Amino acid sequence: MFRRRFWVSLVLSVPVIYFSEFIQGVFGYTAPTFPGSVWITPVLSVIVFAYGGVPFLSMARTELQNREPGMMMLISLAITVAFVYSIASLFLEGTTPFFWELVTLIDIMLLGHWMEMRSVRQASGALDELAKLMPDTAERVTESGDTEEVPVAELSEDDVLLVRPGASVPADGEVVEGESSVDESMITGESRPVDKDPGSEVVAGTVNQDGSLRVRVTKTGDETTLAGIMRLVDEARKSKSRTQLLADRAAGWLFYIALGVAAITAVAWVVAVGFSIGVLERVVTVLVIACPHALGLAVPLVVAINTSTAAQNGMLVRDRIAMEEARNLDTVMFDKTGTLTKGEQGVVGIRVASETRQEGGETAGADEWDEERALEVAAGVEGDSEHMIARAIRSAAEERGVQRASVSNFENLRGLGVEATVDGETVHLGGPNLLETLGIDRPDDIATFAEEAGANAQTVIYLIRDESEVVAAFALADVIREESRQAIEALHGMGIEVAMLTGDSEDVARAVSEELGIDQYFAEVLPEEKDTKVEQLQSEGKLVAMVGDGVNDAPALTRADVGIAIGSGTDVAIESGDIILVDNNPLDVVRLVRLSKASYRKMQENLVWATGYNVIALPLAAGVLAPIGILLSPAIGAVFMSLSTIIVAINARRLRGVDLSA
């Protein structure tokens, strides 16, 4: 709306400015005259006022009703006084119309508010993105054992549903038949797929992976966990308090100052020379130039450059107020999975048994089974699996340049691991349950390795040959990003505390927290609790930023003073965030804080320039120096306005050169 009104008003303003007597005098030209040419300026000015000025008058009414004078009332005061006086000047001798000042003031303010609104996008899509996680239909099992496709809205408690591999769970429920693993990371934050068997609970919106499940519905509609998260997002969004902008506060002060100076001017001039048209013009001049163009651009210009600078550095600003607040942060709360960590399992340690037996009972040194050989065989055995652990082992092999071994007779042992033949030997790969099933004891060095890994909340899987001995063990964990360490060190250097939220176990949270030097952590946190943890820190008087990427982070993102969403995360997290980091790089949080501080400094500098104009212009317009022959005319006041605007624009552009290196 502001953009459209700006362009229309600008086009209509060109003839007004061209035919202005003051502009003709400054540039030394004479506009052509023709029948009716004298009406071009007033007619077009009336149109610009009615079309371009109406939004400001409408918004000023709200400020007036709230008794909170701000930018809208200051703008409305200036354009209304200029408009009324200019129209009156057409019929009063000895007066000078303010038409060109009127239209340029409206144009500049429309431009400023267009730039301002363009940089701010209201977060309205979070609930829609949450809703997309729910399938539209479900396969309900009939009494005859067949299945029928029905809308999710028609499901009732105790209905039994068939959830096929790769399908989303349509409602909260309990598994009554089948075994599988379910990806719950989008809801619970758990980084590993969760095994499900009869009696296990499943949550609507999570994704079934490799097996079919029959699920008895326990909750539907608004009672589901996902619906609860949606309510929290909505409540947190609505609970955000309104932050009055710095420019509005400055405009509010100027509004009262302008009225005060105008009143003093009127009284002083009437006492000195009596009432006349000249006195009226002096009062009008004070009220018009009290609203400098520069004040209307002081913040929007910085915001626009801030937004583009942030984008060039991988940060998308969706909420200007949040960007301003980032400068005052004293606590940054990170989600663990997918934010501080990569959100995927990786091999963090390999241990090969110190000695292995060959056929006939002889022993072979570790040179037969070294780490490369163990990784080669393990990657070959897991070559065709899409399980998270299999991908981790293959990735480790690729990173080390290890070729996968050729395997045959592959078999998946549900709940235990996998089996295959490598070079004529039977090889198994699996966890502790596999060792127990095969009745195999671990060598001392492997057992020690496993205990150390367990203490660090790492998963251990074993490579077994000939169903008789463990030849190697692999420790897997959610891989911590190297940038996380640097980001936390940098934040600590800025005096900002770091907290961590996770749905993972206490052991996992403690291990990550100790490794990264995090100040405090919250483990085993349910989605609804993440929201309250942020609120808990806020109740301690802390200004909190939340950094996350999952659906489970959405309520916390909206509750936080500054919600920072990882761009490669889920759409709902992005829609819930005030600022989106395009890359999965925690260091961008540091850059964000630095840019916020630099931007706020520029806003303050610009406001000093904009309001400093008034410190000089208002007394001169009031006639303080009239006794010595110095009296500010409306035209010269307009020139000062323009100069102030140019200075503000140049200063704002200097923001592009700010060093954001982390």
Side-chain angles (χ1 to χ4, degrees):
M1 182 270 288
F2 281 112
R3 178 185 60 191
R4 181 175 63 252
R5 290 178 188 254
F6 165 72
W7 286 116
V8 172
S9 297
L10 180 63
V11 170
L12 296 176
S13 298
V14 171
V16 175
I17 296 170
Y18 179 72
F19 282 94
S20 165
E21 293 182 4
F22 174 76
I23 298 298
Q24 292 181 56
V26 170
F27 291 97
Y29 70 91
T30 301
T33 58
F34 48 85
S37 61
V38 69
W39 292 104
I40 289 178
T41 293
V43 170
L44 292 181
S45 296
V46 169
I47 296 174
V48 171
F49 176 78
Y51 182 70
V54 164
F56 301 112
L57 297 176
S58 176
M59 290 184 283
R61 184 169 58 248
T62 302
E63 291 184 356
L64 183 61
Q65 291 171 346
N66 294 336
R67 297 182 180 179
E68 294 179 350
M71 183 68 74
M72 296 304 106
M73 284 189 66
L74 185 60
I75 295 172
S76 297
L77 174 67
I79 64 177
T80 301
V81 169
F83 174 74
V84 172
Y85 182 78
S86 296
I87 294 297
S89 70
L90 297 175
F91 308 100
L92 298 175
E93 294 183 3
T95 57
T96 303
F98 291 172
F99 284 124
W100 82 270
E101 293 95 329
L102 169 66
V103 297
T104 54
L105 180 57
I106 291 175
D107 291 342
I108 290 293
M109 294 305 167
L110 286 172
L111 173 62
H113 282 76
W114 167 28
M115 295 172 64
E116 182 178 353
M117 295 302 173
R118 187 178 61 176
S119 68
V120 181
R121 180 183 181 274
Q122 294 298 327
S124 60
L127 300 181
D128 291 337
E129 294 298 335
L130 278 167
K132 289 178 183 178
L133 292 177
M134 287 292 293
D136 296 325
T137 61
E139 288 190 72
R140 184 166 58 190
V141 180
T142 64
E143 293 182 0
S144 64
D146 297 326
T147 61
E148 59 179 354
E149 188 172 293
V150 297
V152 170
E154 294 183 7
L155 295 178
S156 303
E157 287 189 27
D158 294 329
D159 282 348
V160 177
L161 310 177
L162 174 62
V163 185
R164 300 180 186 275
S168 295
V169 178
D172 288 6
E174 179 183 338
V175 176
V176 294
E177 183 180 331
E179 294 181 350
S180 183
S181 56
V182 175
D183 181 359
E184 296 185 342
S185 59
M186 294 300 99
I187 299 293
T188 66
E190 173 61 52
S191 55
R192 290 170 290 191
V194 181
D195 292 334
K196 301 293 182 181
D197 51 28
S200 301
E201 294 183 354
V202 291
V203 178
T206 56
V207 181
N208 186 25
Q209 293 202 318
D210 52 9
S212 294
L213 296 174
R214 289 180 184 255
V215 176
R216 177 180 290 109
V217 176
T218 56
K219 295 179 183 177
T220 61
D222 292 339
E223 297 180 353
T224 63
T225 300
L226 185 59
I229 295 176
M230 293 174 70
R231 283 194 298 275
L232 286 171
V233 171
D234 190 38
E235 290 170 6
R237 177 71 61 192
K238 290 178 180 177
S239 70
K240 279 198 170 181
S241 61
R242 176 179 177 271
T243 302
Q244 191 173 31
L245 299 176
L246 186 61
D248 280 335
R249 293 197 293 272
W253 299 332
L254 280 177
F255 175 80
Y256 289 118
I257 292 172
L259 291 179
V261 172
I264 294 172
T265 300
V267 172
W269 278 92
V270 168
V271 170
V273 300
F275 181 78
S276 66
I277 292 297
V279 173
L280 180 60
E281 182 176 288
R282 191 65 19 221
V283 172
V284 170
T285 301
V286 168
L287 293 175
V288 171
I289 69 174
C291 180
H293 298 55
L295 186 58
L297 288 176
V299 172
L301 271 176
V302 175
V303 168
I305 295 174
N306 167 290
T307 303
S308 62
T309 302
Q312 292 167 2
N313 286 274
M315 298 172 280
L316 305 181
V317 180
R318 301 180 66 243
D319 190 322
R320 170 193 48 186
I321 296 175
M323 171 56 96
E324 291 178 12
E325 288 293 329
R327 77 186 192 280
N328 294 322
L329 289 174
D330 47 38
T331 302
V332 175
M333 179 176 284
F334 287 93
D335 169 58
K336 180 187 77 71
T337 305
T339 305
L340 292 176
T341 66
K342 294 183 178 180
E344 58 187 35
Q345 294 290 303
V347 176
V348 295
I350 303 176
R351 177 64 58 85
V352 177
S354 58
E355 61 180 26
T356 57
R357 292 191 304 276
Q358 292 180 325
E359 292 184 11
E362 298 179 359
T363 60
D367 56 348
E368 180 183 343
W369 281 94
D370 56 16
E371 289 188 8
E372 182 174 335
R373 172 61 176 166
L375 196 54
E376 175 187 344
V377 172
V381 172
E382 295 282 20
D384 295 328
S385 175
E386 283 305 313
H387 193 278
M388 189 176 293
I389 289 177
R391 291 197 298 268
I393 290 177
R394 291 199 303 271
S395 295
E398 292 171 3
E399 291 171 2
R400 299 188 182 200
V402 175
Q403 297 293 321
R404 303 181 198 171
S406 298
V407 304
S408 58
N409 302 324
F410 174 84
E411 183 179 353
N412 181 38
L413 308 175
R414 178 167 294 281
L416 298 175
V418 293
E419 174 186 345
T421 301
V422 180
D423 296 334
E425 285 187 321
T426 300
V427 176
H428 289 77
L429 193 67
N433 290 342
L434 179 62
L435 294 181
E436 185 177 344
T437 300
L438 297 177
I440 300 175
D441 293 327
R442 300 170 298 182
D444 291 342
D445 50 350
I446 294 291
T448 301
F449 171 78
E451 290 170 3
E452 293 173 351
N456 291 321
Q458 297 168 356
T459 300
V460 178
I461 61 171
Y462 303 94
L463 181 63
I464 304 165
R465 73 171 185 179
D466 290 334
E467 301 184 7
S468 59
E469 62 180 315
V470 177
V471 295
F474 302 86
L476 296 94
D478 192 0
V479 181
I480 295 176
R481 301 179 188 279
E482 185 58 38
E483 301 89 348
S484 297
R485 297 179 174 85
Q486 301 170 26
I488 291 171
E489 288 178 5
L491 289 171
H492 282 159
M494 299 166 73
I496 298 175
E497 293 183 2
V498 179
M500 182 181 74
L501 278 175
T502 179
D504 277 348
S505 66
E506 175 76 19
D507 290 341
V508 173
R510 183 176 60 253
V512 173
S513 179
E514 290 176 353
E515 183 169 351
L516 291 177
I518 290 172
D519 298 298
Q520 61 178 316
Y521 65 87
F522 303 94
E524 300 177 5
V525 181
L526 298 175
E528 57 269 23
E529 292 174 340
K530 287 195 173 185
D531 173 54
T532 58
K533 295 301 182 187
V534 172
E535 196 171 17
Q536 174 184 325
L537 292 178
Q538 290 173 325
S539 68
E540 298 172 5
K542 296 180 178 179
L543 193 73
V544 182
M546 172 66 193
V547 187
D549 71 331
V551 171
N552 59 301
D553 302 320
L557 286 169
T558 52
R559 179 72 67 184
D561 299 287
V562 180
I564 305 172
I566 296 294
S568 62
T570 60
D571 290 340
V572 66
I574 295 174
E575 290 295 333
S576 299
D578 301 314
I579 297 161
I580 295 93
L581 306 183
V582 177
D583 298 322
N584 274 20
N585 189 349
L587 279 172
D588 284 339
V589 177
V590 179
R591 298 185 180 97
L592 167 66
V593 175
R594 290 184 175 167
L595 179 59
S596 176
K597 291 178 181 292
S599 298
Y600 193 74
R601 282 196 302 271
K602 289 300 175 189
M603 289 182 191
Q604 289 179 311
E605 292 167 3
N606 275 1
L607 288 173
V608 168
W609 280 110
T611 55
Y613 150 87
N614 288 84
V615 172
I616 298 173
L618 281 179
L620 291 178
V624 170
L625 299 182
I628 60 174
I630 299 177
L631 196 62
L632 184 66
S633 69
I636 298 301
V639 172
F640 281 175
M641 274 189 191
S642 301
L643 180 61
S644 177
T645 303
I646 292 171
I647 293 173
V648 165
I650 293 174
N651 189 50
R653 287 190 62 84
R654 294 179 60 213
L655 183 61
R656 298 187 186 277
V658 172
D659 181 15
L660 301 179
S661 59

